[in-house]
Amino acid sequence: MRTNVAALVGAVLLAGGLAACSSEAPSSAPQPTAPAIKPVAETAVAAPAASGEQPKGLTYDAKRIPVGAQISTGSSVANGQTTVELKVAGLLPNTKYGSHVHTKPCGAKPADSGPHYQNEKDPVSPSVDAKYANAQNEIWLDFTTDAQGAATGTATVNWEFRQGEANAVIIHATHSSTEHGKAGTAGDRLACLTAQF
């Protein structure tokens, strides 16, 4: 009887030890962590200045993106991948917007920020060819605001920006189209944030 009890206790202790070992193994393994998003630009949008230097953040349509709405962007680069994040607050509630990184800084006119930044440049501009105007070759940050008019858009691509060629984030009136002949279009340019990536 004593031998059976001893064997049983030994088996229980052995099983417990194995369970403890197996439960500790995953927690001791290093977990990969995504690189932190580094701030690039943040501001409240204003109406374009009548002349001279423009504010960092502009609204071209104060009904859809009110003066004072907050826009911020940041990015991270790791292992040849780039992640861009856009955060907004104070926009219309429960509304779909499109957003892309553009090549030039914001100006008094919506078109001043130039075309979308593309990793592989379309020889035709404006680019509406899905071979070039797509979410893998451009930075698309489309979002839908919540009931308070806030949202976050994020994009990750397998390339890095060319130095000095990505200089603004534009917010558009609709989500980006993938339709043939309209690829990358997202309606009117409603607001712009100068952001040098």
Side-chain angles (χ1 to χ4, degrees), residues 8 27 33 54 71 80 94-95 114 133 140 143 153 185 193 195:
L8 183 60
S27 63
T33 56
Q54 294 297 321
I71 306 176
N94 306 311
T95 302
W140 291 12
F143 59 89
T185 60
L193 175 64

Side-chain angles (χ1 to χ4, degrees), residues 124-139:
V124 177
S125 186
S127 178
V128 290
D129 182 346
K131 177 182 176 183
Y132 301 95
N134 62 65
Q136 290 75 47
N137 194 47
E138 301 181 346
I139 299 289

Side-chain angles (χ1 to χ4, degrees), residues 7-154:
L8 183 60
V9 169
V12 168
L13 290 174
L14 179 61
L18 290 173
C21 288
S22 65
S23 65
E24 287 173 9
S27 63
S28 63
Q31 297 296 317
T33 56
I37 298 290
K38 296 178 182 175
V40 174
E42 179 176 7
T43 194
V45 298
S51 62
E53 189 175 338
Q54 294 297 321
K56 182 184 281 188
L58 297 167
T59 177
Y60 304 115
D61 186 332
K63 288 183 179 177
R64 291 189 275 185
I65 300 197
V67 169
Q70 296 284 328
I71 306 176
S72 67
T73 189
S75 66
S76 68
V77 178
N79 304 316
Q81 288 192 325
T82 300
T83 297
V84 178
E85 181 180 78
L86 174 69
K87 291 186 176 183
V88 299
L91 277 60
L92 298 180
N94 306 311
T95 302
K96 292 180 180 180
Y97 292 90
S99 183
H100 311 110
V101 171
H102 283 244
T103 58
K104 298 180 181 178
C106 307
K109 297 177 182 177
D112 289 345
S113 57
H116 297 177
Y117 178 93
Q118 293 182 324
N119 182 49
E120 184 182 350
K121 293 182 182 180
D122 188 340
V124 177
S125 186
S127 178
V128 290
D129 182 346
K131 177 182 176 183
Y132 301 95
N134 62 65
Q136 290 75 47
N137 194 47
E138 301 181 346
I139 299 289
W140 291 12
L141 299 161
D142 295 4
F143 59 89
T144 301
T145 55
D146 63 16
Q148 286 72 47
T152 299
T154 305

